[in-house]
Amino acid sequence: MGIKTLRLTLLLALLFCTASYGTTNQVDVSAESVALGSSARVIRDQDKRLSAAQLLANPGRYRGTQGEEINSFTFTDAAYWFVVRLNNPAPAAVSRLLTFEPIWLDDIQVTLAADDGSLQQFQGGDVHPFEQRSLSHRKPNFTLTLPPGASQLLVRVQTEDPFVVNMRLWQQSAFYQADSHETAYLGLVYGVLGAMLLYNLALFLAVRESVYAAYVSYVFIFILWHLINNGLPYKLLWPSSPLWANWSQSVSLYLIMVGGLYFAINFLQLRYRMPRTYSWAIRILLLLLVSAVATSLGGYKWHVTSAVLWVIAYTAIVIILGLLSLRDGNRAARYFLPATAAGFLGSGITALAVSGFIPFTFYTYRAVDFGMLLDAVLLSIALADRLKIARNETELARSALFDAVQEHALELEATVEQRTRELREANATKDKFFSIIAHDLRGPLGSLALFYNDIVKSAGDFTDEILTLTRATTTNTSNLLEQLLSWARSQRGEIDYHPQVFDLSRLTPEIEQLFASQASAKQLQLDLAIDGPCWVYADKAMVHTILRNLTGNALKYTPAGGVISAGLTCDSGHYKFTITDNGIGIAKAVQQSLFRLDEKPQSLPGTDNETGSGLGLILCSEFVQRNNGTIGVTSEPGEGASFWFTLPRASTQDIQQPDTPHELQRALTILLVDDQQISRETVSQMLQAMQHKVYIARNGAEAVQLAADRRFDLILMDIDMPGLNGIEATRLIRATNHRHTIIAFSSYFSTEIKQLAQGDIFDGYLEKPLSREVLGAELHRLFTTTTG
């Protein structure tokens, strides 16, 4: 269509419109500000193919409907045309500013047709670059030059957002004045919200509670959404990104709902106070996030539509959470509920207004501002009240703690006083006990010294009686020293407790064999066999010591021809093992002091004048208690005694058949390192009797030299030696290419040796004095395999 034809068409259209509408429908543009919506003819363009030329060419064909001051069409795929008759009564052309609200209208096409056929055409909206706007302002705007007399304004609007159109024609001075008022209003909104944000940010930095951080995030997101909703970031932050300017609307709306719901969950403490409600709230929060992501895949229209509809549902959800918390007795809900109701009622009204469900006015559109201001103030008061409650609780807790500390201090003082008294008594008891032991040791050792210094002058003086007496005294003294060392180790916690499952019936034959020669010498019948199996859970070495001491006592106080036997019963998870003799018996008064340190038992001589200190029974008592058992005695004078102890039964699933050691199939080559001659002679004879080949080193230096020259199956290494000690010698031997099995052989305990060596450098530990049974067991451990 040519320019002349278009102008002719325009003149005919103007004449037709004048005839159809009359001059009363014209908008007088001389006013400072005039709303155009109610004067517009609104035409729905469903297929979006209608053009300005078609409307001008056939004005009677597209009648449309009468518009309203603010036109709202909810969500629609159609475009809408607004046709307005303008009249400039001035004799000359005037400039006017055409503005649009809200700011999220996507595409706006403006055509101004003068009666002389001249056209002015413009295009804008938030899908177009910001620079296309006539004024650098957050609202879409176009500067029109209105000729004198009549003209026609044709506006085409299309958007995927809620379809709300508010058109207004301004004198620029009036626009700037109105804009300054609106800017002041927005400044007040942002000022109040910013103050609440900074206040609660300071609270969070002070108390470090997550609820304050959640509220700060929520207010920040709301401010961001409000800025976007008013078009401010488009100009300041992304003027060249119209696509994001469009999407930022729905994205920020989803963010404010996520932040608000997360804050509500934290503020109401749903996780701890109402776990089931918390579970549902978290599911809704996840559903909200899923909706945000899923609807974005369908395009912007799906995304923004779902966001606006979610606001309505979200408002109801958060208010329901507040009501449930209030019913649960949560004090915080008393503030939260009115605050949330105000904030989300305002949001709901705004959502309904922009969706077209209620009239779009300044108050319905700005309802979200009023609601959020009240929401922010009330929630800040609620958080301050929460802090006040926390401080009061802290003061109460501090006061209660102070009272508890005072009470505990008094109790502790009394406990310390009692424990000090008990410790003093215990130390006095131990001093008395050691005095008794010293007396018991002084007697036999003094007798031996008397024999060797005064009575025995030559080898011929050793009569059978003196030899027997010397042997008995030496044995008793050695046993007493061994018991004293064991008890001292127990007191110092140096006897490791290694419980295991084993069959007690397999241990008693070893004890019976150990005392067989002594029983035979006294013409006693020793029968410790029990009906097995008898699976217990205890420390095997400790149980061996208990059996050995109780059996030795029974042999000591049973006369020739007597019988010593064992018995076994089971009761409530424990086995009760009894060793019974028909010896001289024990008086009741003596029985009460048998297992006590603070009294020396009235120890009677054995049937062959054997002596005793009572230390063995005290050691038995400690070992039994260590294995979660009890010990006792039943006896009458002249009728024998029954010593018994209990051990825990092993659980069925832990019972396994013990491994059976094989005898050594070869003789070992052993290096014995010891600076004491009597110890070398004793152990050397013991090893040779066991068919092993023995080499001797008298100090550490000799041991290192011998170990470097040949390979030994085993090295028995003493610790305390002059010059190069056993630990230093072992390190030097380890540094060579030969791999030797080295066992520490000393009067030191294994823990003491590890401390001295600052590590575990030995393959095993043997304590002096050494028995053949212990030595044989250790060799079996090191040099034989086991079978089940």
Side-chain angles (χ1 to χ4, degrees):
M1 180 182 295
I3 297 297
K4 291 183 178 180
T5 304
L6 182 58
R7 287 180 176 177
L8 179 61
T9 301
L10 177 59
L11 289 174
L12 293 174
L14 291 173
L15 290 173
F16 179 82
C17 292
T18 302
S20 300
Y21 294 101
T23 58
T24 57
N25 289 328
Q26 293 181 349
V27 175
D28 188 350
V29 300
S30 62
E32 291 184 346
S33 173
V34 59
L36 302 180
S38 58
S39 302
R41 181 162 51 98
V42 183
I43 301 169
R44 180 183 175 88
D45 182 12
Q46 182 61 49
D47 57 6
K48 294 175 283 191
R49 294 182 179 179
L50 191 60
S51 65
Q54 289 175 312
L55 284 174
L56 292 172
N58 300 287
R61 181 179 176 184
Y62 307 101
R63 301 283 299 176
T65 60
Q66 185 65 35
E68 300 176 356
E69 182 174 345
I70 299 175
N71 294 274
S72 178
F73 309 106
T74 67
F75 290 96
T76 178
D77 291 329
Y80 280 86
W81 285 89
F82 300 88
V83 182
V84 184
R85 293 283 297 159
L86 303 177
N87 179 49
N88 176 15
V94 295
S95 177
R96 293 291 184 266
L97 186 67
L98 177 65
T99 64
F100 289 84
E101 287 185 291
I103 59 92
W104 60 69
L105 298 174
D106 292 345
D107 183 63
I108 305 172
Q109 298 178 16
V110 177
T111 301
L112 179 65
D115 58 2
D116 62 356
S118 62
L119 299 175
Q120 298 178 46
Q121 292 184 313
F122 308 90
Q123 189 173 24
D126 70 350
V127 298
H128 297 281
F130 189 82
E131 62 188 13
Q132 290 186 6
R133 301 184 179 186
S134 298
L135 294 180
S136 179
H137 194 270
R138 59 188 180 82
K139 295 180 181 178
N141 64 88
F142 308 92
T143 299
L144 305 180
T145 302
L146 302 178
S151 59
Q152 189 169 197
L153 180 67
L154 293 87
V155 178
R156 179 185 183 275
V157 180
Q158 180 180 342
T159 185
E160 292 182 326
D161 292 285
F163 210 130
V164 180
V165 180
N166 180 18
M167 296 185 298
R168 187 168 287 272
L169 203 61
W170 299 85
Q171 292 183 14
Q172 284 201 11
S173 58
F175 172 75
Y176 285 131
Q177 184 177 5
D179 185 61
S180 66
H181 294 158
E182 190 170 2
T183 301
Y185 162 77
L186 293 176
L188 175 64
V189 172
Y190 297 139
V192 173
L193 293 175
M196 296 300 101
L197 185 148
L198 293 176
Y199 171 69
N200 286 281
L201 178 60
L203 287 180
F204 167 70
L205 295 176
V207 300
R208 299 290 181 176
E209 285 193 31
S210 61
V211 65
Y212 295 98
Y215 179 72
V216 168
S217 301
Y218 170 54
V219 174
F220 175 78
I221 294 171
F222 175 79
I223 294 174
L224 177 63
W225 170 82
H226 199 275
L227 289 168
I228 292 172
N229 196 52
N230 284 281
L232 294 171
Y234 191 14
K235 172 186 175 181
L236 300 175
L237 301 179
W238 45 76
S240 301
S241 304
L243 181 62
W244 171 242
N246 199 32
W247 273 87
S248 63
Q249 298 281 338
S250 57
V251 170
S252 61
L253 192 54
Y254 264 115
L255 284 176
I256 193 174
M257 289 186 287
V258 170
L261 185 54
Y262 178 75
F263 167 72
I265 292 171
N266 275 269
F267 182 78
L268 296 174
Q269 298 177 312
L270 297 181
R271 183 172 186 176
Y272 308 104
R273 300 182 66 98
M274 304 171 66
R276 293 184 62 183
T277 305
Y278 168 78
S279 176
W280 280 105
I282 290 296
R283 293 176 186 177
I284 293 172
L285 182 62
L286 294 176
L287 182 62
L288 189 60
L289 292 170
V290 170
S291 175
V293 175
T295 55
S296 68
L297 301 178
Y300 178 73
K301 184 175 181 59
W302 280 96
H303 200 251
V304 70
T305 302
S306 65
V308 172
L309 294 177
W310 257 109
V311 168
I312 301 171
Y314 161 72
T315 302
I317 290 168
V318 177
I319 291 177
I320 289 172
L321 292 178
L323 289 171
L324 292 174
S325 294
L326 186 64
R327 188 182 68 176
D328 188 57
N330 189 346
R331 171 172 172 162
R334 293 187 296 175
Y335 292 95
F336 177 83
L337 195 57
T340 302
F344 295 122
L345 182 61
S347 300
I349 291 174
T350 298
L352 292 172
V354 300
S355 301
F357 294 107
I358 60 176
F360 187 99
T361 67
F362 173 82
Y363 295 104
T364 59
Y365 179 55
R366 292 297 182 183
V368 63
D369 300 349
F370 305 135
M372 277 302 299
L373 285 174
L374 186 57
D375 178 34
V377 172
L378 289 176
L379 286 178
S380 291
I381 294 174
L383 289 171
D385 179 69
R386 177 191 179 98
L387 183 61
K388 178 182 177 182
I389 294 173
R391 285 177 175 172
N392 290 339
E393 291 177 347
T394 301
E395 288 299 324
L396 290 174
R398 186 176 300 164
S399 177
L401 179 61
F402 179 75
D403 293 340
V405 168
Q406 280 190 318
E407 183 179 354
H408 181 67
L410 293 174
E411 293 177 354
L412 184 61
E413 184 178 354
T415 302
V416 169
E417 184 179 353
Q418 180 182 355
R419 293 294 182 267
T420 302
R421 184 169 56 253
E422 292 175 353
L423 181 60
R424 191 179 298 115
E425 293 173 355
N427 286 334
T429 299
K430 288 186 179 181
D431 290 342
K432 181 179 179 181
F433 177 73
F434 281 123
S435 176
I436 295 170
I437 293 298
H439 178 271
D440 289 343
L441 286 174
R442 189 181 301 113
L445 288 176
S447 298
L448 287 175
L450 179 63
F451 272 121
Y452 287 108
N453 294 330
D454 298 333
I455 299 177
V456 178
K457 302 299 183 180
S458 65
D461 293 333
F462 276 104
T463 65
D464 291 340
E465 181 181 358
I466 290 177
L467 286 174
T468 301
L469 184 59
T470 301
R471 185 184 296 110
T473 301
T474 303
T475 301
N476 290 335
T477 304
S478 176
N479 289 338
L480 178 57
L481 283 172
E482 180 62 27
Q483 290 174 350
L484 181 60
L485 288 173
S486 297
W487 180 79
R489 291 178 58 193
S490 175
Q491 295 297 300
R492 292 167 57 183
E494 293 179 345
I495 296 182
D496 295 331
Y497 175 59
H498 297 295
Q500 65 184 94
V501 175
F502 65 93
D503 184 2
L504 186 60
S505 67
R506 295 173 181 255
L507 194 60
T508 54
E510 296 181 17
I511 304 298
E512 187 174 323
Q513 183 178 3
L514 180 64
F515 289 97
S517 59
Q518 186 177 342
S520 177
K522 291 193 69 172
Q523 300 178 4
L524 299 176
Q525 180 180 344
L526 180 60
D527 182 10
L528 300 182
I530 56 175
D531 295 333
C534 172
W535 295 95
V536 296
Y537 181 71
D539 186 299
K540 192 173 183 179
M542 291 185 181
V543 175
H544 193 281
T545 300
I546 296 166
L547 291 173
R548 193 169 64 247
N549 277 288
L550 295 182
T551 303
N553 272 357
L555 289 170
K556 184 187 302 182
Y557 295 106
T558 304
V563 177
I564 301 171
S565 61
L568 182 70
T569 57
C570 181
D571 182 26
S572 65
H574 284 74
Y575 279 113
K576 182 177 182 181
F577 186 83
T578 306
I579 295 180
T580 303
D581 64 64
N582 57 355
I584 61 177
I586 307 171
K588 294 293 184 183
V590 176
Q591 292 179 30
Q592 296 176 0
S593 62
L594 286 178
F595 305 105
R596 297 176 57 178
L597 278 178
D598 56 345
E599 294 186 24
K600 175 175 172 57
Q602 299 177 17
S603 178
L604 298 175
T607 54
D608 282 350
N609 292 317
E610 301 98 329
T611 60
S613 66
L615 181 57
L617 291 178
I618 293 173
L619 190 62
C620 288
S621 177
E622 292 191 7
F623 282 2
V624 168
Q625 291 178 20
R626 188 76 180 274
N627 285 277
N628 301 311
T630 56
I631 189 170
V633 60
T634 303
S635 179
E636 292 291 340
E639 298 183 6
S642 292
F643 281 85
W644 56 266
F645 63 93
T646 64
L647 294 174
R649 296 181 61 182
S651 59
T652 305
Q653 61 268 26
D654 292 335
I655 295 176
Q656 297 178 354
Q657 291 298 322
D659 295 333
T660 303
H662 289 290
E663 293 292 334
L664 293 178
Q665 300 298 317
R666 64 185 178 89
L668 302 177
T669 302
I670 300 175
L671 174 61
L672 174 61
V673 186
D674 200 323
D675 64 326
Q676 294 182 356
Q677 183 177 358
I678 188 171
S679 178
R680 291 197 304 268
E681 293 293 336
T682 303
V683 178
S684 176
Q685 291 180 13
M686 193 182 300
L687 290 171
Q688 290 174 0
M690 299 168 70
Q691 307 302 315
H692 301 302
K693 187 174 183 179
V694 182
Y695 288 79
I696 300 296
R698 290 170 296 179
N699 53 56
E702 290 185 11
V704 173
Q705 183 62 47
L706 289 172
D709 294 340
R710 64 177 300 128
R711 171 75 166 79
F712 292 100
D713 296 311
L714 175 65
I715 298 177
L716 292 177
M717 180 70 70
D718 190 18
I719 300 300
D720 268 346
M721 292 183 292
L724 194 67
N725 65 36
I727 293 174
E728 295 168 344
T730 299
R731 287 202 176 98
L732 291 174
I733 293 172
R734 295 289 193 208
T736 65
N737 293 328
H738 295 304
R739 172 57 186 158
H740 302 278
T741 300
I742 306 176
I743 291 180
F745 174 52
S746 172
S747 297
Y748 286 117
F749 306 136
S750 60
T751 53
E752 293 175 319
I753 296 174
K754 292 176 183 178
Q755 290 175 357
L756 291 171
Q758 297 181 347
D760 198 354
I761 64 174
F762 294 98
D763 297 298
Y765 302 87
L766 288 174
E767 296 176 10
K768 295 180 179 180
L770 185 63
S771 68
R772 179 167 177 169
E773 290 77 9
V774 173
L775 177 59
E778 183 68 6
L779 295 180
H780 280 300
R781 182 184 72 83
L782 292 170
F783 298 103
T784 63
T785 58
T786 58
T787 59

